Amino acid sequence: MSHRVAVIGGDGIGTEVIDVTVQLIEQAGVHLDTTEFDLGGERYLKDGTVLPDETLDELRAYDAILLGAVGTPEVPPGVIERGLLLKARFALDLYINLRPFVGENHEFVVIRENTEGTYAGEGGFLRYGTPNEIATQGSVNTRMGVERCVRYAFSLAESRPRKHLTLVHKTNVLTFAGDLWQRVFDEVGAEHPDVTTAYNHVDAACIFFVDDPGRYDVIVTDNLFGDILTDLGGAVSGGIGRAASANLNPARTGPSLFEPVHGSAPDIAGKGLANPVAAVLSGAMMLDFLGEHGAAARLVTACDAVDDDGDTATIASRLSALL
Ligand code: IPM
Ligand code: MN
């Protein structure tokens, strides 16, 4: 059986790490029927295309989307991020952003709400460019959006040996959004008496990520806290070159999107220096979601064992030898 996968290599090191990933997936024994989509900053510079609705509709027909990285320094901030990546996350309702972290004494997963919060795009300018200018950027938290994310987190925690879930927020300052998150967390928690729970303020969580990450099993948090925490998670788990992520539509009403946490790294692009492990691990998460558990596990085992000191080709051939 083959899976139809839309491949968006994107910009910079994105295409480099995705090429390696697709090859290794095939070597792991899963046939992918891939279609490449030329999207990202470079494409935008060529003809102004970001992610047209027709392209989005084409993407809906695939079993999954595999994305390298998008972003080019020549394009103003936000154009590609909002117009492509966030548009895909929102339009395809990829409301769970799952990011696993493994280190010497820790193994935990961050579930980042992926469609709301400060990312929702609420706000705007008043008196733009004047001395009395006002810029607002609100955080949108819906009961539905928080609840479906928290429910997913409890179910995931319940399926793991430790059955422990930590809510990370800033309830002492964000008293409206935080209150909603905490109430939903407590309510859903009452339905899962076998899951033990904890709460950390996000600033304290930053200390624990560095000093005592072993305390965590599953973390659930909002979009922006999750964005920041997962870069830190990568930094304390072998580096951002190993950090993988899945943007999931758990209801499977459309494709889910898999991408490394890292960006397009223009400073090392084209030099063959990118670490492909994060992309390969994201590919493994895709295989898992597609039901290819054996091949996914083989890729993860290879990534865990690989010496990832070296250039892209060297790491790729070591991974290949480990499969
Ligand atoms: C990530 C990235 C994105 C985000 C950017 C590129 C929009 O940093 O996936 O973590 O902020 O979500
Ligand atoms: Mn990020």
Coordinates of all heavy atoms in Angstrom, one line a residue, residues 97-159:
N97 N -0.4 20.5 17.9 CA 1.0 20.4 17.5 C 1.7 19.6 18.5 O 1.9 20.0 19.7 CB 1.5 21.9 17.4 CG 2.9 21.9 16.7 OD1 3.7 21.0 16.8 ND2 3.1 23.0 15.9
L98 N 2.2 18.4 18.1 CA 2.8 17.4 19.0 C 4.3 17.5 18.8 O 4.8 17.3 17.7 CB 2.2 16.1 18.5 CG 2.4 14.9 19.5 CD1 1.4 15.0 20.6 CD2 2.0 13.6 18.7
R99 N 5.0 17.7 19.9 CA 6.5 17.8 19.8 C 7.1 17.0 20.9 O 7.1 17.4 22.1 CB 6.9 19.3 19.9 CG 6.3 20.1 18.7 CD 6.7 21.5 18.7 NE 6.5 22.0 17.3 CZ 6.7 23.3 16.9 NH1 7.2 24.1 17.7 NH2 6.5 23.6 15.7
P100 N 7.7 15.8 20.6 CA 8.3 14.9 21.5 C 9.8 15.3 21.8 O 10.5 15.8 20.9 CB 8.3 13.6 20.9 CG 8.1 13.8 19.4 CD 7.7 15.2 19.2
F101 N 10.2 15.1 23.0 CA 11.6 15.5 23.4 C 12.2 14.3 24.2 O 11.6 13.8 25.2 CB 11.6 16.8 24.2 CG 11.1 17.9 23.4 CD1 9.9 18.4 23.6 CD2 11.9 18.5 22.4 CE1 9.4 19.5 22.8 CE2 11.5 19.6 21.7 CZ 10.2 20.1 21.9
V102 N 13.4 13.9 23.8 CA 14.1 12.8 24.4 C 15.5 13.3 24.8 O 16.2 13.8 24.0 CB 14.2 11.6 23.5 CG1 14.9 10.4 24.3 CG2 12.8 11.1 23.1
G103 N 15.9 13.1 26.1 CA 17.2 13.5 26.5 C 17.7 12.4 27.4 O 17.1 11.3 27.5
E104 N 18.9 12.7 28.0 CA 19.5 11.6 28.9 C 18.6 11.1 30.0 O 18.5 9.9 30.2 CB 20.8 12.2 29.5 CG 22.0 11.3 29.4 CD 23.2 12.1 29.5 OE1 23.7 12.3 30.6 OE2 23.8 12.5 28.4
N105 N 17.9 12.1 30.7 CA 17.1 11.7 31.8 C 15.6 12.2 31.6 O 14.9 12.3 32.6 CB 17.6 12.3 33.1 CG 19.0 11.7 33.4 OD1 19.1 10.5 33.5 ND2 20.0 12.5 33.6
H106 N 15.2 12.3 30.4 CA 13.8 12.7 30.2 C 13.3 12.2 28.9 O 14.0 12.0 27.9 CB 13.7 14.3 30.3 CG 14.4 15.0 29.2 ND1 15.7 15.5 29.3 CD2 14.0 15.4 27.9 CE1 16.0 16.1 28.2 NE2 15.0 16.1 27.3
E107 N 12.0 12.1 28.9 CA 11.3 11.8 27.7 C 9.9 12.3 27.9 O 9.1 11.8 28.6 CB 11.2 10.2 27.4 CG 10.5 9.9 26.1 CD 10.2 8.5 25.9 OE1 10.7 7.6 26.6 OE2 9.5 8.3 24.9
F108 N 9.6 13.4 27.2 CA 8.3 14.0 27.4 C 7.8 14.6 26.0 O 8.5 14.7 25.0 CB 8.3 15.1 28.5 CG 9.1 16.3 28.2 CD1 8.6 17.4 27.5 CD2 10.4 16.4 28.6 CE1 9.4 18.5 27.2 CE2 11.2 17.5 28.4 CZ 10.7 18.6 27.7
V109 N 6.5 14.9 26.0 CA 5.8 15.4 24.8 C 5.1 16.7 25.1 O 4.4 16.8 26.2 CB 4.7 14.4 24.3 CG1 4.0 14.9 23.1 CG2 5.3 13.0 24.1
V110 N 5.3 17.7 24.3 CA 4.5 18.9 24.4 C 3.4 18.9 23.4 O 3.6 18.7 22.2 CB 5.4 20.2 24.2 CG1 4.6 21.4 24.3 CG2 6.6 20.2 25.3
I111 N 2.2 19.2 24.0 CA 1.0 19.4 23.1 C 0.7 20.9 23.1 O 0.3 21.4 24.1 CB -0.2 18.6 23.6 CG1 0.1 17.1 23.4 CG2 -1.4 18.9 22.8 CD1 -0.9 16.2 24.1
R112 N 0.9 21.4 21.9 CA 0.8 22.9 21.8 C -0.5 23.1 21.0 O -0.7 22.5 19.9 CB 1.9 23.4 21.0 CG 1.8 24.7 20.3 CD 3.0 25.1 19.5 NE 2.7 26.3 18.8 CZ 3.5 26.9 17.9 NH1 4.6 26.2 17.5 NH2 3.2 28.0 17.3
E113 N -1.5 23.9 21.6 CA -2.7 24.3 20.8 C -2.2 25.0 19.6 O -1.4 25.9 19.7 CB -3.6 25.1 21.7 CG -5.0 25.2 21.3 CD -5.3 25.9 20.0 OE1 -4.6 26.9 19.8 OE2 -6.1 25.4 19.1
N114 N -2.8 24.7 18.4 CA -2.2 25.1 17.2 C -3.1 26.0 16.3 O -2.7 26.3 15.2 CB -1.8 23.8 16.4 CG -0.5 24.0 15.6 OD1 0.3 24.8 15.9 ND2 -0.4 23.2 14.5
T115 N -4.2 26.4 16.8 CA -5.1 27.2 15.9 C -5.6 28.5 16.5 O -6.4 29.2 15.9 CB -6.4 26.4 15.5 OG1 -7.0 26.0 16.7 CG2 -6.0 25.2 14.7
E116 N -5.2 28.8 17.8 CA -5.8 29.9 18.5 C -4.8 30.8 19.2 O -3.6 30.9 18.7 CB -6.9 29.5 19.5 CG -8.0 28.6 18.9 CD -9.1 28.4 19.9 OE1 -8.9 28.6 21.1 OE2 -10.2 28.1 19.4
G117 N -5.1 31.4 20.3 CA -4.2 32.2 21.1 C -3.8 33.4 20.4 O -4.5 34.0 19.5
T118 N -2.6 33.9 20.6 CA -2.1 35.1 19.9 C -1.8 34.9 18.5 O -1.7 35.8 17.7 CB -0.8 35.6 20.6 OG1 0.1 34.5 20.8 CG2 -1.0 36.3 21.9
Y119 N -1.8 33.6 18.0 CA -1.6 33.3 16.6 C -2.8 33.6 15.8 O -2.7 33.6 14.5 CB -1.1 31.9 16.5 CG 0.4 31.7 16.7 CD1 0.9 31.8 18.0 CD2 1.2 31.2 15.7 CE1 2.3 31.6 18.2 CE2 2.6 31.0 15.9 CZ 3.1 31.2 17.1 OH 4.4 31.0 17.4
A120 N -4.0 33.7 16.4 CA -5.2 33.7 15.7 C -5.3 34.9 14.7 O -6.1 34.9 13.8 CB -6.4 33.7 16.6
G121 N -4.6 36.0 15.0 CA -4.6 37.1 14.1 C -5.5 38.2 14.5 O -5.8 39.1 13.8
E122 N -6.0 38.1 15.8 CA -6.9 39.2 16.3 C -6.1 40.4 16.6 O -4.9 40.3 17.0 CB -7.6 38.7 17.6 CG -8.7 39.5 18.1 CD -8.3 40.6 19.0 OE1 -7.1 40.6 19.5 OE2 -9.2 41.5 19.3
G123 N -6.6 41.6 16.3 CA -5.9 42.8 16.6 C -5.7 43.7 15.4 O -6.3 43.5 14.3
G124 N -4.9 44.7 15.5 CA -4.6 45.6 14.4 C -4.0 46.9 14.8 O -3.6 47.0 16.0
F125 N -4.0 47.8 13.9 CA -3.4 49.1 14.2 C -4.4 50.2 14.3 O -5.5 50.1 13.6 CB -2.4 49.5 13.0 CG -1.2 48.7 12.9 CD1 -1.1 47.8 11.8 CD2 -0.2 48.7 13.8 CE1 0.0 47.0 11.6 CE2 0.9 47.9 13.6 CZ 1.0 47.0 12.5
L126 N -4.2 51.2 15.1 CA -4.9 52.4 15.0 C -3.9 53.5 14.8 O -2.8 53.5 15.4 CB -5.7 52.7 16.3 CG -7.0 52.0 16.5 CD1 -7.5 52.2 17.9 CD2 -8.0 52.5 15.5
R127 N -4.2 54.5 14.1 CA -3.3 55.7 13.9 C -1.9 55.2 13.4 O -0.9 55.7 13.9 CB -3.2 56.5 15.1 CG -4.5 56.9 15.8 CD -4.3 57.9 16.9 NE -5.3 57.9 17.9 CZ -5.2 57.3 19.1 NH1 -4.1 56.8 19.5 NH2 -6.2 57.4 19.9
Y128 N -1.9 54.3 12.5 CA -0.7 53.7 12.0 C 0.4 54.7 11.6 O 0.1 55.7 10.9 CB -1.0 52.8 10.8 CG 0.2 52.0 10.3 CD1 0.6 50.8 10.9 CD2 1.0 52.5 9.3 CE1 1.7 50.1 10.5 CE2 2.2 51.8 8.9 CZ 2.5 50.6 9.5 OH 3.6 49.9 9.1
G129 N 1.6 54.6 12.1 CA 2.7 55.4 11.7 C 2.7 56.8 12.3 O 3.6 57.6 12.0
T130 N 1.7 57.0 13.2 CA 1.7 58.4 13.9 C 2.3 58.2 15.3 O 2.4 57.1 15.8 CB 0.3 58.9 14.0 OG1 -0.4 58.1 15.0 CG2 -0.5 58.8 12.7
P131 N 2.7 59.3 15.9 CA 3.2 59.2 17.3 C 2.2 58.6 18.3 O 2.6 58.1 19.3 CB 3.5 60.6 17.7 CG 3.6 61.4 16.4 CD 2.7 60.7 15.4
N132 N 0.9 58.6 17.9 CA -0.1 58.1 18.8 C -0.6 56.7 18.4 O -1.7 56.2 18.7 CB -1.3 59.0 18.9 CG -0.9 60.3 19.6 OD1 -0.1 60.3 20.5 ND2 -1.5 61.4 19.1
E133 N 0.3 56.0 17.6 CA -0.1 54.7 17.1 C -0.4 53.7 18.2 O 0.2 53.7 19.3 CB 1.1 54.2 16.3 CG 1.0 52.8 15.8 CD 2.0 52.5 14.7 OE1 2.9 53.4 14.4 OE2 2.0 51.4 14.2
I134 N -1.4 52.8 17.9 CA -1.7 51.7 18.8 C -1.7 50.4 18.0 O -2.2 50.4 16.9 CB -3.2 51.9 19.4 CG1 -3.2 53.2 20.1 CG2 -3.6 50.7 20.2 CD1 -4.7 53.6 20.5
A135 N -1.0 49.5 18.6 CA -1.0 48.1 18.0 C -1.6 47.1 19.0 O -1.0 47.1 20.2 CB 0.4 47.7 17.6
T136 N -2.6 46.4 18.7 CA -3.1 45.4 19.6 C -3.0 44.0 19.0 O -3.1 43.9 17.8 CB -4.6 45.6 20.0 OG1 -5.4 45.5 18.9 CG2 -4.7 46.9 20.7
Q137 N -2.8 43.0 19.8 CA -2.7 41.6 19.3 C -3.2 40.7 20.4 O -2.5 40.3 21.3 CB -1.2 41.3 19.0 CG -1.1 40.0 18.2 CD -0.6 40.2 16.7 OE1 0.3 41.1 16.5 NE2 -1.1 39.5 15.8
G138 N -4.5 40.4 20.3 CA -5.2 39.7 21.4 C -5.0 38.2 21.3 O -4.5 37.7 20.3
S139 N -5.3 37.6 22.4 CA -5.2 36.1 22.5 C -6.6 35.6 22.4 O -7.4 35.9 23.3 CB -4.5 35.7 23.8 OG -4.5 34.3 23.9
V140 N -6.9 34.8 21.4 CA -8.2 34.2 21.3 C -8.2 32.8 21.8 O -7.4 31.9 21.4 CB -8.6 34.1 19.8 CG1 -9.9 33.4 19.6 CG2 -8.6 35.5 19.2
N141 N -9.1 32.5 22.8 CA -9.2 31.2 23.4 C -10.6 30.8 23.5 O -11.4 31.4 24.2 CB -8.6 31.3 24.9 CG -7.2 31.6 24.9 OD1 -6.3 30.8 25.0 ND2 -6.9 32.9 24.8
T142 N -11.0 29.9 22.6 CA -12.4 29.4 22.6 C -12.6 28.2 23.5 O -11.7 27.4 23.7 CB -12.9 29.1 21.2 OG1 -12.3 27.9 20.8 CG2 -12.7 30.2 20.2
R143 N -13.7 28.1 24.1 CA -14.0 26.9 24.9 C -13.8 25.6 24.1 O -13.2 24.7 24.6 CB -15.5 27.0 25.4 CG -16.1 25.8 26.0 CD -15.7 25.8 27.5 NE -15.8 24.4 28.0 CZ -15.7 24.1 29.3 NH1 -15.6 25.1 30.2 NH2 -15.8 22.9 29.7
M144 N -14.3 25.7 22.9 CA -14.2 24.5 22.0 C -12.7 24.2 21.7 O -12.2 23.1 21.8 CB -14.9 24.8 20.7 CG -14.9 23.7 19.6 SD -13.3 23.7 18.6 CE -13.5 25.3 17.7
G145 N -12.0 25.3 21.4 CA -10.6 25.1 21.0 C -9.7 24.6 22.2 O -8.8 23.7 22.0
V146 N -9.9 25.1 23.4 CA -9.2 24.7 24.5 C -9.5 23.3 24.9 O -8.7 22.4 25.2 CB -9.4 25.7 25.7 CG1 -8.7 25.2 27.0 CG2 -8.9 27.1 25.4
E147 N -10.9 23.0 24.9 CA -11.3 21.7 25.3 C -10.8 20.6 24.5 O -10.4 19.6 24.9 CB -12.9 21.7 25.4 CG -13.4 20.5 26.1 CD -14.9 20.5 26.3 OE1 -15.4 21.6 26.6 OE2 -15.5 19.4 26.3
R148 N -10.9 20.8 23.1 CA -10.5 19.7 22.3 C -9.0 19.4 22.4 O -8.5 18.2 22.4 CB -10.9 19.9 20.8 CG -10.2 21.1 20.1 CD -10.7 21.3 18.7 NE -10.0 22.4 18.1 CZ -10.2 22.7 16.8 NH1 -11.1 22.0 16.1 NH2 -9.6 23.7 16.3
C149 N -8.2 20.4 22.7 CA -6.8 20.3 22.9 C -6.5 19.6 24.2 O -5.7 18.6 24.3 CB -6.1 21.7 22.8 SG -4.4 21.6 23.1
V150 N -7.2 20.0 25.3 CA -7.0 19.4 26.6 C -7.5 18.0 26.6 O -6.8 17.1 27.2 CB -7.7 20.3 27.7 CG1 -7.8 19.5 29.0 CG2 -7.0 21.6 27.8
R151 N -8.5 17.7 25.9 CA -9.0 16.3 25.8 C -8.0 15.4 25.1 O -7.7 14.3 25.6 CB -10.4 16.2 25.0 CG -11.5 16.7 25.8 CD -12.9 16.3 25.2 NE -13.9 16.8 26.1 CZ -14.3 16.2 27.3 NH1 -13.8 15.1 27.6 NH2 -15.2 16.8 28.1
Y152 N -7.4 15.9 24.0 CA -6.4 15.1 23.4 C -5.2 14.9 24.3 O -4.7 13.8 24.4 CB -5.9 15.9 22.1 CG -4.9 15.1 21.3 CD1 -5.3 14.3 20.2 CD2 -3.5 15.2 21.6 CE1 -4.4 13.6 19.5 CE2 -2.6 14.4 20.9 CZ -3.0 13.7 19.8 OH -2.1 12.9 19.1
A153 N -4.9 15.9 25.1 CA -3.7 15.7 26.0 C -4.0 14.7 27.1 O -3.1 13.9 27.4 CB -3.4 17.1 26.7
F154 N -5.2 14.7 27.6 CA -5.5 13.7 28.7 C -5.5 12.3 28.0 O -5.0 11.3 28.7 CB -6.9 14.0 29.3 CG -6.7 14.9 30.5 CD1 -7.0 16.2 30.5 CD2 -6.3 14.4 31.8 CE1 -6.9 17.1 31.6 CE2 -6.2 15.2 32.9 CZ -6.4 16.5 32.8
S155 N -6.1 12.2 26.8 CA -6.1 10.8 26.2 C -4.7 10.3 26.0 O -4.3 9.2 26.2 CB -6.8 10.9 24.8 OG -8.1 11.3 25.0
L156 N -3.8 11.3 25.5 CA -2.4 10.9 25.2 C -1.7 10.5 26.5 O -1.1 9.4 26.6 CB -1.6 12.0 24.5 CG -0.2 11.6 24.2 CD1 -0.1 10.5 23.1 CD2 0.6 12.8 23.8
A157 N -1.9 11.3 27.6 CA -1.3 11.0 28.9 C -1.8 9.6 29.4 O -1.0 8.8 29.9 CB -1.6 12.1 29.9
E158 N -3.0 9.4 29.2 CA -3.6 8.1 29.7 C -3.0 6.9 29.0 O -2.9 5.8 29.5 CB -5.1 8.1 29.4 CG -6.0 7.2 30.2 CD -7.4 7.8 30.4 OE1 -8.0 8.1 29.3 OE2 -7.8 7.9 31.5
S159 N -2.6 7.1 27.7 CA -2.0 6.0 26.9 C -0.6 5.7 27.3 O 0.0 4.7 26.8 CB -2.2 6.3 25.5 OG -1.2 7.2 25.1

